[in-house]
């Protein structure tokens, strides 16, 4: 009986923090600018990852529990961000440019991590489910909403080594590159002998200065 009394009346109870596929698709369409097959895929992929980890409220009480690694920078990446709440600017989103439709979800509280990858066969399955829809994106958009998790994805429990400087709240010493004078955060400096260099000055430049 005591337990009964502690329950709040129905209308005051917090709504289920995990939204439905439909609600996430709405949010994703707004954030991304349009609804596309990639949004459906990304939303489903992230929902599956969170379900596997038992994370129910990624934007609320569980918001500091999750770090997400994405392996592609396409439409689906935006949808993964919408569902997980993980952002590059919060250091909770890590990008690995591998061109693969996959993401790894790390629960930093428990250390558990799951990698979810889209099955290559889901594309042809979508086509066979909607043989009369000529637009590929349209066929996939429809099919990806009803396929089972198993038809769409393969999942794998993994271990991800996350050193302190990879965590969202990490505050470390800021050092200055001895060559260009620019400041460097998060232990991203390179030590060459006695010299402290930024990655650009150490030779990893993605740009060439125009003199
Ligand atoms: Zn798109
Ligand atoms: Zn430098």
């Amino acid at each position: 009986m005591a337990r009964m009394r502690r329950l709040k009346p129905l209308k005051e109870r917090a709504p289920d923090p995990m939204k439905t596929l439909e609600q996430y698709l709405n949010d994703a369409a707004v954030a991304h600018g349009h609804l596309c097959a990639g949004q459906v895929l990304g939303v489903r992929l992230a929902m599956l990852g969170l379900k596997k980890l038992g994370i129910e409220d990624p934007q609320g009480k569980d918001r500091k529990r999750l770090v997400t690694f994405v392996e592609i920078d396409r439409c689906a990446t935006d949808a993964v961000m919408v569902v997980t709440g993980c952002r590059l600017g919060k250091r909770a989103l890590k990008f690995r440019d591998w061109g693969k439709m996959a993401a790894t979800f790390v629960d930093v509280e428990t250390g558990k991590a799951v990698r979810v990858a889209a099955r290559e066969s889901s594309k042809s399955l979508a086509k066979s489910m909607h043989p009369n829809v000529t637009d590929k994106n349209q066929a996939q958009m429809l099919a990806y909403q009803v396929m089972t998790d198993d038809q769409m994805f393969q999942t794998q429990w993994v271990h991800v080594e996350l050193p302190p400087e990879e965590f969202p709240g990490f505050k470390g010493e800021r050092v200055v590159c001895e060559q260009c004078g620019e400041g460097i955060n998060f232990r991203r400096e390179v030590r060459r002998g006695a010299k402290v260099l930024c990655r650009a000055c150490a030779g990893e430049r993605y740009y060439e200065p125009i003199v």
Side-chain angles (χ1 to χ4, degrees):
M1 284 307 280
R3 207 178 54 176
M4 289 283 289
R5 241 174 282 138
R6 275 206 299 275
L7 280 177
K8 290 178 186 167
L10 202 61
K11 63 179 179 197
E12 283 178 34
R13 239 184 278 161
D16 187 351
M18 204 63 193
K19 297 180 185 175
T20 62
L21 173 64
E22 203 186 346
Q23 287 170 321
Y24 277 130
L25 288 181
N26 279 330
D27 294 353
V30 171
H32 180 62
H34 62 248
L35 189 64
C36 58
Q39 298 308 293
V40 186
L41 195 70
V43 165
R44 293 275 316 262
L45 188 143
M47 286 178 81
L48 179 58
L50 295 182
K51 190 171 87 181
K52 290 269 174 196
L53 290 175
I55 290 183
E56 291 170 344
D57 193 4
Q59 315 266 1
K61 71 172 170 60
D62 295 331
R63 71 187 183 284
K64 292 191 173 153
R65 264 177 76 180
L66 194 65
V67 166
T68 302
F69 287 76
V70 290
E71 298 182 15
I72 199 161
D73 53 353
R74 296 214 53 201
C75 293
T77 309
D78 282 350
V80 169
M81 288 165 65
V82 165
V83 176
T84 60
C86 290
R87 302 272 183 277
L88 198 60
K90 293 187 198 159
R91 311 200 69 240
L93 187 80
K94 314 285 184 190
F95 177 47
R96 295 291 181 268
D97 194 3
W98 290 4
K100 295 171 88 176
M101 189 57 79
T104 296
F105 305 89
V106 186
D107 183 341
V108 298
E109 233 171 69
T110 62
K112 279 166 73 179
V114 65
R115 182 171 180 272
V116 184
R119 289 186 194 276
E120 205 51 27
S121 55
S122 64
K123 288 176 195 272
S124 50
L125 182 58
K127 204 176 163 193
S128 68
M129 285 167 82
H130 295 282
N132 300 321
V133 180
T134 47
D135 182 70
K136 197 176 74 181
N137 180 60
Q138 192 68 26
Q140 290 176 355
M141 219 161 73
L142 295 168
Y144 291 164
Q145 294 184 50
V146 295
M147 275 184 203
T148 65
D149 285 338
D150 201 46
Q151 285 173 321
M152 282 179 85
F153 305 109
Q154 50 189 1
T155 63
Q156 188 181 22
W157 291 104
V158 294
H159 174 72
V160 179
E161 193 63 48
L162 270 184
E165 63 268 25
E166 289 297 335
F167 277 80
F170 179 75
K171 285 191 184 64
E173 177 197 12
R174 186 174 160 86
V175 298
V176 170
C177 173
E178 288 179 28
Q179 197 163 310
C180 69
E182 293 180 359
I184 311 155
N185 272 6
F186 307 127
R187 293 188 188 158
R188 297 307 192 256
E189 70 273 17
V190 178
R191 289 179 195 267
R192 286 277 155 79
K195 265 199 155 169
V196 174
L197 298 174
C198 71
R199 291 175 70 161
C201 292
E204 285 185 47
R205 254 193 212 126
Y206 63 89
Y207 56 88
E208 280 306 321
I210 295 171
V211 208

